[in-house]
Amino acid sequence: MADLLAVNNVTKAFGGLIAVNAVDFHIAPGMIAGLIGPNGAGKTTLFNNITGLYTPTKGEIVFDGQRVSGLKPHEVQARGIARTFQNIRLFGQMTALENILVGMHSRLKGNIFEAFFRPPRVRHEEAEAAAKALDLLDFVGLGRKFADWPARNLPYGFQRRLEIARALASDPKLLLLDEPSSGLNVEETEDMAFWIEDISRDLGITVIMVEHDMTLVSRVSDRVMAMNQGRVLAMGSAAEVQRHPAVVEAYIGTPAAAGETVERAAS
Amino acid sequence: MTETNPTTQRALRILLIVAIGYLALLIGQPAGLDVGRIITDIVKTPTNVVQQLVIGLANGSIIVIIALGYTLVYGIIELVNFAHGEVFMLGAFTALMALSIFTTTTATGGLTAPFWAALLGFIPAMVLCGLLNAGIERLAYRRLRNSPKLAVLISAIGMSFILQNIGLQFGALGKLTQVGPEFQVFQVLGSNNAAPKSFPVVLSTENLLGDFPIRITQADVLVMGAALVLMLALNWFVQSTRLGKAMRAVAQNRDAAAMMGINVDQIIALTFLIGGALAGAAGMMFGLYNGTVVFTMGFTAGLRSFTAAVLGGIGNIRGAALGGILIGLLAAFSDQYLAVRWTNAWVFLILVLVLLFRPTGLLGQESGDKA
Amino acid sequence: MKQKILSNAEIIGILLMGFVALITGGWSVIIIVLLIGALVGVNTEAEPGAWRKALLPGAISAAAVVLATIIHNHVIMGLPRQEPIPAASTAPLVYIGAIVLGTAMAVLVVALRSASDARVRKFGLIGLLLACAVAFPFFEQYAQLFWANAIIVAMIFAMQALGLNIVAGYAGMLDLGYVAFFAIGGYTIAFLNSPQFNLQVWFWLVIWVAAAAAALFGLILGTPVIPLRGDYLAIVTLGFGEIVPIVFRNLNAITILEPVSSLVAALTGNPASAICLVGCIEPFNLTNGTDGITPIGRPIFPGVQFVTGQYIPWYFLILGLLIASVFFISRLRNSRIGRAWVAIREDELAANSMGINLVRTKLIAFMLGAMFSGFAGAFYGSYVSFISPDAFDFSISVIVLCMVILGGTGSIVGVILGGFIIKVTDLLLLDKLQVVMGGLLQATLFQGIENQGMQNFLESLFNASQYKLLLFGIILVTMMQFRPQGLVPSTAERKA
Ligand SMILES: Nc1ncnc2c1ncn2[C@@H]1O[C@H](COP(=O)(O)OP(=O)(O)OP(=O)(O)O)[C@@H](O)[C@H]1O
Ligand SMILES: [Mg+2]
């Protein structure tokens, strides 16, 4: 089967600092891929390259047969890559429902004149969008009663889920989750595992997830990739990667060894 | 896509530039950009060009000193201190009041003050404006340090309105002169709040070069000299003193500086204090040089100086100096060869163009120079 | 905790409204009690039967306002220099009626808000507001308040503030040169419908041309400016806002020569040989400089005369426009594009990653804002029938910004409220205050001070209308420090 995402030899340098160094990997459709590595390994930077926030210094990224490196974030998103952020970036003053509707932005059509005059087509589209947004709230287990809460007033765990719902709203083919369990307690992390599996199984969306929680990674990932200092150290099943000598070495000196949960404060 | 020949490309680019230039000369004419007349003027009195250079340098010196205040503050908290121009205006008023204590009426009915009074007058102007600026920071900005940047900017705009209104109502003191001789010091303020106030004559308007066609007066020398002294002093302070180094550290990285044990609040207040003192000095320089001050002058002076700071590269001390001189020259030449009425528009145009095409300014690249 | 009869908001409201009543007096008491009643009504928690809870605070508030009015009518009117008030307004029955009216308003608002029928809840308040708005000009005329002009100008500015609210409140861009578009709108109508060029283009077309011209300039300015950082955008727009009045001020004697021929002519010392393109016989006067352009075309409507001094037609025309603006803007806010604006304001990077085209979305906001301002400018020009560059300086941009900040960025109700508060204060209350202060000075301090100079000084010092800038400045600074979300925050508005 053709790859959904191909990251071909991508390098990203900030001045002298090479945050992502010749990273090369492929993701097949339907897969859940885990991305691990100590702090500063370049995981988030890699995500930012894929989603168009950064343009790779070298190499290219091909998604669904089209080159996406060099496109603007909204153009990448329109092609079917959605993401969440390591330190939740919701639209705090907007309601939960509106946050999800913003996620649908690229899937809706209403232009400015239609916003003024609201013809039946737009009214219909808006109603459908709202219904779908409510469904998504249900899907991530938030419940409709939070629909008109300003996002910043939601509890932390709910905000993480809302962010996932917002990303799902655009019907992406590929979902990038940056530390979805960070800041969640054990129970919430457990739930998160279910949702990620649901997203993959029920919605058929391919997932790449940056995670420090190895239990979660081992549980849901079909494949795991480990990075350190911008380079890929190992790729394979979770067990293989954890045992890989380079990975073990990379984690020595950090607060926790590979295979344990790395407790991290949400920042 | 076909690759265009580099020569064709260059030709096209030149053509484009010529076309834009031509268009500018066409539509710029109502704003004084009339090459024919400019050439005629220059040919008629070539010495005038040098004269404008002198005027531009003197005015530029004042702009530099105000621009330093913008640049210092921007360097340290990334705020366009909108109220700075008004601090300068109040500085000019303070300077005027300081001078007026020593003002006497001449035989012809004009007002005059001795030279040493002008030099002495720098002290209250600088002290008061320094304190005022630091007070503004404390009152209107400090609480907002972690708010969105625009919130602080809006607060600064509000502050500038407040100060301008104070400048306007300050003029009311002039009415006290009618009360009795004990209020004679307020004579300089006249009887109309809003009207421009004349500075007492301090310096001789005699040409230091005698009959030479280019005029350099005491005022020119004083203003440029004062600017030079202030800049050297500031440079010494920032480069060589402990507090100056702390200032640079806070500008580079506030959190790191705080962790090194630097009292960030205190350093920021100090920066405002210094910026305000400079604005106060500029107020005195302006009054001595131009002879009149008015409560609305802070806005124009502020925007010119801000443009200078941006042109040089905001946050950069040397940049402010360069930008100030350039803007001073631009204004002088525009006054003479374009059209006085349009000078502000030309300055704003420069501001807009710099922000659009080179937001880092002329010297913006040298980040190590940041105050 | 002790149950308080009046909430903090109500106490502040009473103090402010009481102060207004104190300096205005006469029939204004009727309007002020209605306002304070509405405030109490809005401030009381809505629940079935809650109207009873509004009775006491409503009555107390109204009584406080009436007390202030009585002080005005019977004490302040005794001071020198006061303008007369209609005798009928000082009858005891009026005071009792005012208390009843204020209380009734409070009760009615609460009752409407806690109605069980959702439609009543939704349209009841709007209907009440509309009824008051319709009644206002007739009452104003009867009561000889002379407020109509201020209210009409306030509505024009509120329209402008609604436009700025799209730019600054929704999309989060600080446009400090907003007045430029107001000027462009005003000058467009002045060019096309005045004796300046002897053009009389149909009014209802001209206002759209004016709006389009402003939008066009918004596009021209916005395209390069929008990718800039927030504070740089603020400064560039400010520069634009300064350049535009300079241009209008000085384009009154245009002569344009062909540059090359003019250069050659200068070099050969033969000025006559330059080829002249524009303004050859006499310089072309485009804007009439500082003298401005007057008179400017008025709206045409069968059976209605729009003239200076006849406020009622203007009032309803502009009220209608304001209502239409509110209607359209609230639709915009709740559309795909409106959500995109707010998302950008909240988090630009996240919005971009969610598929929002930043430049295009912001540009639309910028142009729409410009369009509103141009539209308002055209009406302003037509209303005052006079356009000059002095009407468009930086302070106007800041005053409009002040309306948005005071009311609540992003909040339609707030922004309109802010517009009214600022403009009514600016045009009406400060002048009233000045009259009262002047009278007070003369009756008290001046009795002990013979010296004319001292009197002049005090008069100048206490001249309230000289403190406009100070007031707006204080509003901006204190709002940013203590209530950045404004009087009527937008989230609260949506949750209600
Ligand atoms: N915009 C930037 N400019 C300069 N350096 C950057 C930038 N973004 C990231 N870096 C640097 O790149 C390196 C990789 O950072 P990145 O955020 O990708 O790490 P990460 O693997 O996501 O770590 P964490 O687990 O802490 O999230 C770090 O050293 C970081 O400081
Ligand atoms: Mg990361």
Side-chain angles (χ1 to χ4, degrees):
Chain A
M1 215 201 287
D3 293 322
L4 182 66
L5 179 76
V7 173
N8 297 329
N9 217 358
V10 163
T11 295
K12 179 70 191 177
F14 297 108
L17 178 91
I18 300 174
V20 172
N21 198 345
V23 169
D24 198 284
F25 67 92
H26 300 242
I27 302 284
M31 185 190 255
I32 300 181
L35 179 54
I36 63 169
N39 293 146
K43 307 177 298 287
T44 300
T45 308
L46 181 61
F47 270 20
N48 287 346
N49 276 290
I50 297 174
T51 54
L53 287 172
Y54 298 148
T55 309
T57 318
K58 262 192 246 142
E60 66 164 7
I61 297 163
V62 177
F63 175 70
D64 215 7
Q66 285 176 308
R67 185 192 162 114
V68 291
S69 41
L71 295 183
K72 293 268 168 55
H74 64 268
E75 295 166 329
V76 176
Q77 196 263 7
R79 281 165 178 67
I81 303 181
R83 73 172 293 178
T84 66
F85 296 91
Q86 183 170 348
N87 33 19
I88 307 182
R89 303 186 76 143
L90 287 167
F91 308 118
Q93 295 225 18
M94 301 177 90
T95 64
L97 191 76
E98 278 186 312
N99 268 278
I100 300 182
L101 288 173
V102 170
M104 289 182 204
H105 185 86
S106 56
R107 299 289 171 261
L108 302 177
K109 296 200 181 62
N111 65 26
I112 181 118
F113 297 101
E114 292 174 326
F116 266 133
F117 301 111
R118 216 170 269 190
R121 193 191 69 67
V122 167
R123 216 170 300 173
H124 186 69
E125 183 185 82
E126 283 283 311
E128 251 181 18
K132 186 180 156 197
L134 288 173
D135 286 347
L136 276 169
L137 276 178
D138 279 340
F139 181 80
V140 297
L142 261 180
R144 299 174 176 223
K145 74 165 190 257
F146 293 109
D148 54 359
W149 275 48
R152 57 148 190 251
N153 294 355
L154 290 172
Y156 185 83
F158 286 21
Q159 293 194 10
R160 279 241 171 259
R161 296 189 223 164
L162 179 58
E163 222 196 3
I164 293 179
R166 182 180 70 177
L168 290 174
S170 61
D171 293 328
K173 295 184 191 134
L174 173 66
L175 177 65
L176 307 182
L177 301 173
D178 199 344
E179 304 198 13
S181 82
S182 130
L184 303 186
N185 61 33
V186 180
E187 220 167 299
E188 287 172 324
T189 308
E190 193 102 320
D191 290 343
M192 188 59 74
F194 279 113
W195 282 310
I196 294 172
E197 283 172 341
D198 281 354
I199 289 167
S200 170
R201 199 176 315 122
D202 300 351
L203 304 179
I205 295 171
T206 310
V207 177
I208 307 178
M209 147 181 98
V210 169
E211 252 308 328
H212 286 280
D213 183 337
M214 281 312 293
T215 332
L216 177 59
V217 173
S218 330
R219 188 174 143 187
V220 301
S221 316
D222 302 316
R223 228 171 126 215
V224 175
M225 182 170 101
M227 283 179 76
N228 190 27
Q229 300 190 340
R231 288 182 182 281
V232 177
L233 297 179
M235 255 187 265
S237 74
E240 281 165 20
V241 169
Q242 276 182 71
R243 275 197 307 269
H244 197 283
V247 177
V248 175
E249 184 171 344
Y251 275 98
I252 287 171
T254 58
E260 292 168 27
T261 303
V262 181
E263 289 295 336
R264 287 161 43 81
S267 58
Chain B
M1 247 176 64
T2 54
E3 289 282 299
T4 40
N5 186 328
T7 5
T8 346
Q9 254 182 13
R10 194 175 309 149
L12 275 176
R13 188 171 310 156
I14 291 174
L15 205 71
L16 186 74
I17 291 174
V18 169
I20 291 177
Y22 189 78
L23 211 67
L25 291 180
L26 268 183
I27 59 175
Q29 274 186 49
L33 195 60
D34 180 349
V35 268
R37 186 184 43 71
I38 293 172
I39 300 269
T40 319
D41 283 0
I42 291 178
V43 171
K44 217 184 292 166
T45 38
T47 49
N48 217 346
V49 177
V50 184
Q51 184 67 63
Q52 294 315 314
L53 220 70
V54 175
I55 295 174
L57 283 175
N59 272 318
S61 307
I62 300 170
I63 295 177
V64 169
I65 300 303
I66 309 173
L68 285 172
Y70 279 107
T71 248
L72 286 173
V73 166
Y74 195 93
I76 210 151
I77 59 169
E78 294 222 331
L79 163 72
V80 179
N81 182 12
F82 219 89
H84 193 69
E86 310 303 334
V87 173
F88 154 74
M89 178 271 295
L90 288 179
F93 274 67
T94 315
L96 176 63
M97 290 321 297
L99 266 185
S100 69
I101 298 170
F102 306 103
T103 294
T104 48
T105 311
T106 59
T108 52
L111 298 177
T112 173
F115 183 67
W116 55 263
L119 290 186
L120 214 63
F122 271 98
I123 296 169
M126 290 179 75
V127 169
L128 280 176
C129 287
L131 292 176
L132 175 67
N133 212 27
I136 291 169
E137 191 271 331
R138 183 72 196 82
L139 258 179
Y141 307 152
R142 185 173 299 182
R143 196 193 298 268
L144 297 173
R145 208 167 287 156
N146 295 319
S147 306
K149 243 197 229 169
L150 292 184
V152 202
L153 186 60
I154 291 170
S155 193
I157 293 170
M159 211 62 224
S160 80
F161 268 46
I162 295 174
L163 297 181
Q164 193 174 16
N165 210 147
I166 291 175
L168 169 66
Q169 284 304 73
F170 191 79
L173 290 172
K175 300 205 163 59
L176 286 176
T177 26
Q178 302 159 11
V179 175
E182 67 272 28
F183 291 111
Q184 207 50 40
V185 276
F186 297 122
Q187 189 187 5
V188 285
L189 293 173
S191 61
N192 180 346
N193 293 9
K197 322 286 177 213
S198 291
F199 251 61
V201 176
V202 175
L203 305 167
S204 123
T205 51
E206 193 184 317
N207 188 357
L208 297 178
L209 303 181
D211 287 338
F212 198 66
I214 294 159
R215 283 176 63 83
I216 295 182
T217 60
Q218 285 182 354
D220 292 312
V221 176
L222 178 85
V223 162
M224 291 186 224
L228 202 65
V229 169
L230 288 169
M231 279 176 61
L232 289 177
L234 180 70
N235 198 47
W236 168 79
F237 179 82
V238 171
Q239 299 296 337
S240 315
T241 64
R242 197 177 54 81
L243 281 173
K245 283 175 186 154
M247 244 166 91
R248 284 192 299 168
V250 174
Q252 299 255 311
N253 186 338
R254 199 188 301 164
D255 295 332
M259 262 181 302
M260 307 276 290
I262 295 174
N263 183 342
V264 172
D265 277 350
Q266 194 190 323
I267 293 298
I268 291 177
L270 176 75
T271 309
F272 274 85
L273 190 85
I274 294 172
L278 290 172
M284 176 58 105
M285 288 156 69
F286 184 92
L288 292 176
Y289 191 75
N290 291 300
T292 59
V293 294
V294 61
F295 78 102
T296 51
M297 74 185 196
F299 184 74
T300 311
L303 262 162
R304 284 190 184 183
S305 314
F306 177 72
T307 305
V310 169
L311 178 62
I314 192 147
N316 179 324
I317 291 182
R318 251 176 268 164
L322 176 67
I325 297 295
L326 287 178
I327 293 296
L329 289 174
L330 171 79
F333 279 95
S334 167
D335 282 349
Q336 178 68 26
Y337 293 110
L338 297 174
V340 182
R341 297 189 299 174
W342 288 89
T343 297
N344 274 343
W346 286 112
V347 174
F348 291 132
L349 189 69
I350 295 290
L351 173 64
V352 171
L353 291 180
V354 173
L355 284 179
L356 290 183
F357 296 111
R358 202 182 156 86
T360 49
L362 295 175
L363 302 185
Q365 240 65 345
E366 306 168 23
S367 56
D369 216 33
K370 224 169 124 185
Chain C
M1 225 168 79
K2 208 177 77 180
Q3 184 72 29
K4 283 204 293 185
I5 298 175
L6 295 172
S7 72
N8 290 343
E10 283 162 351
I11 292 171
I12 294 172
I14 290 174
L15 289 176
L16 289 177
M17 304 265 193
F19 185 70
V20 173
L22 194 67
I23 60 175
T24 53
W27 282 114
S28 74
V29 65
I30 302 293
I31 293 171
I32 300 170
V33 290
L34 287 177
L35 287 174
I36 193 86
L39 175 72
V40 172
V42 171
N43 205 41
T44 309
E45 207 170 317
E47 58 192 10
W51 63 269
R52 273 184 225 97
K53 282 192 295 182
L55 264 176
L56 189 58
I60 294 175
S61 316
V65 167
V66 168
L67 183 69
T69 307
I70 293 175
I71 295 176
H72 180 96
N73 292 353
H74 301 283
V75 180
I76 292 180
M77 283 310 291
L79 298 174
R81 304 190 200 176
Q82 303 306 306
E83 288 150 11
I85 50 174
S89 68
T90 58
L93 206 62
V94 173
Y95 301 138
I96 296 167
I99 296 179
V100 174
L101 202 62
T103 318
M105 185 70 169
V107 169
L108 188 59
V109 169
V110 177
L112 285 174
R113 285 178 58 233
S114 21
S116 51
D117 187 341
R119 283 214 305 283
V120 175
R121 276 204 303 273
K122 193 169 170 198
F123 295 110
L125 280 185
I126 297 178
L128 184 64
L129 194 66
L130 219 58
C132 292
V134 169
F136 169 77
F138 301 105
F139 175 74
E140 190 266 353
Q141 206 163 45
Y142 165 77
Q144 299 174 332
L145 284 175
F146 307 107
W147 285 11
N149 176 54
I151 297 289
I152 290 171
V153 175
M155 287 197 289
I156 294 178
F157 270 81
M159 234 158 79
Q160 221 190 335
L162 282 174
L164 182 63
N165 185 44
I166 297 178
V167 185
Y170 293 162
M173 296 180 283
L174 188 57
D175 181 352
L176 291 179
Y178 197 60
V179 70
F181 305 113
F182 193 58
I184 288 168
Y187 269 96
T188 306
I189 192 172
F191 291 152
L192 295 179
N193 205 333
S194 81
Q196 176 74 356
F197 302 117
N198 272 320
L199 286 174
Q200 299 294 331
V201 182
W202 192 44
F203 180 86
W204 302 109
L205 178 67
V206 169
I207 51 171
W208 291 105
V209 176
L216 181 70
F217 274 91
L219 178 70
I220 293 171
L221 175 69
T223 307
V225 160
I226 273 172
L228 291 178
R229 284 179 13 201
D231 49 350
Y232 281 9
L233 181 134
I235 300 292
V236 174
T237 50
L238 176 120
F240 181 69
E242 277 306 298
I243 289 178
V244 166
I246 296 179
V247 169
F248 284 128
R249 182 170 295 124
N250 295 324
L251 284 186
N252 55 347
I254 309 171
T255 307
I256 296 181
L257 305 175
E258 199 284 320
V260 176
S261 72
S262 142
L263 188 64
V264 172
L267 293 177
T268 54
N270 179 11
S273 71
I275 303 166
C276 173
L277 299 175
V278 176
C280 306
I281 300 157
E282 61 177 303
F284 175 56
N285 179 356
L286 179 67
T287 61
N288 209 23
T290 42
D291 292 341
I293 298 172
T294 188
I296 293 170
R298 291 316 191 29
I300 19 183
F301 205 80
V304 188
Q305 288 269 309
F306 286 90
V307 289
T308 308
Q310 288 281 346
Y311 295 113
I312 288 183
W314 286 107
Y315 176 85
F316 283 106
L317 173 67
I318 294 178
L319 178 67
L321 286 171
L322 188 62
I323 292 172
S325 308
V326 170
F327 178 73
F328 280 128
I329 289 179
S330 62
R331 279 197 154 182
L332 266 181
R333 167 62 188 83
N334 292 311
S335 73
R336 171 178 176 265
I337 191 99
R339 290 188 299 262
W341 289 332
V342 181
I344 290 176
R345 180 191 73 196
E346 293 290 293
D347 189 332
E348 206 166 295
L349 189 147
N352 200 197
S353 297
M354 292 305 126
I356 293 168
N357 182 340
L358 295 181
V359 172
R360 195 173 65 197
T361 311
K362 285 181 170 185
L363 197 56
I364 292 174
F366 202 77
M367 281 176 68
L368 263 182
M371 202 183 95
F372 264 93
S373 193
F375 202 71
F379 273 96
Y380 183 77
S382 175
Y383 174 67
V384 298
S385 197
F386 171 59
I387 282 291
S388 84
D390 298 330
F392 304 111
D393 71 2
F394 175 60
S395 65
I396 308 283
S397 292
V398 175
I399 287 173
V400 178
L401 178 69
C402 207
M403 297 171 177
V404 175
I405 302 281
L406 177 67
T409 40
S411 148
I412 293 178
V413 175
V415 165
I416 293 179
L417 186 72
F420 274 89
I421 294 178
I422 298 277
K423 217 55 209 177
V424 168
T425 308
D426 179 10
L427 294 178
L428 210 68
L429 298 182
L430 284 176
D431 292 344
K432 296 260 181 215
L433 181 61
Q434 189 191 339
V435 171
V436 172
M437 296 274 267
L440 212 57
L441 275 180
Q442 189 155 356
T444 55
L445 276 179
F446 289 2
Q447 298 306 312
I449 299 171
E450 297 296 296
N451 191 310
Q452 184 62 38
M454 192 50 120
Q455 289 195 4
N456 286 346
F457 169 69
L458 288 174
E459 189 119 357
S460 177
L461 200 64
F462 288 103
N463 184 343
S465 57
Q466 295 262 33
Y467 288 99
K468 268 177 205 171
L469 294 184
L470 188 79
L471 185 69
F472 299 146
I474 289 175
I475 289 177
L476 285 177
V477 174
T478 47
M479 289 306 284
M480 285 340 283
Q481 314 262 323
F482 301 108
R483 205 176 159 87
Q485 73 274 36
L487 294 178
V488 187
S490 58
T491 22
E493 178 188 311
R494 263 180 290 132
K495 272 194 105 179

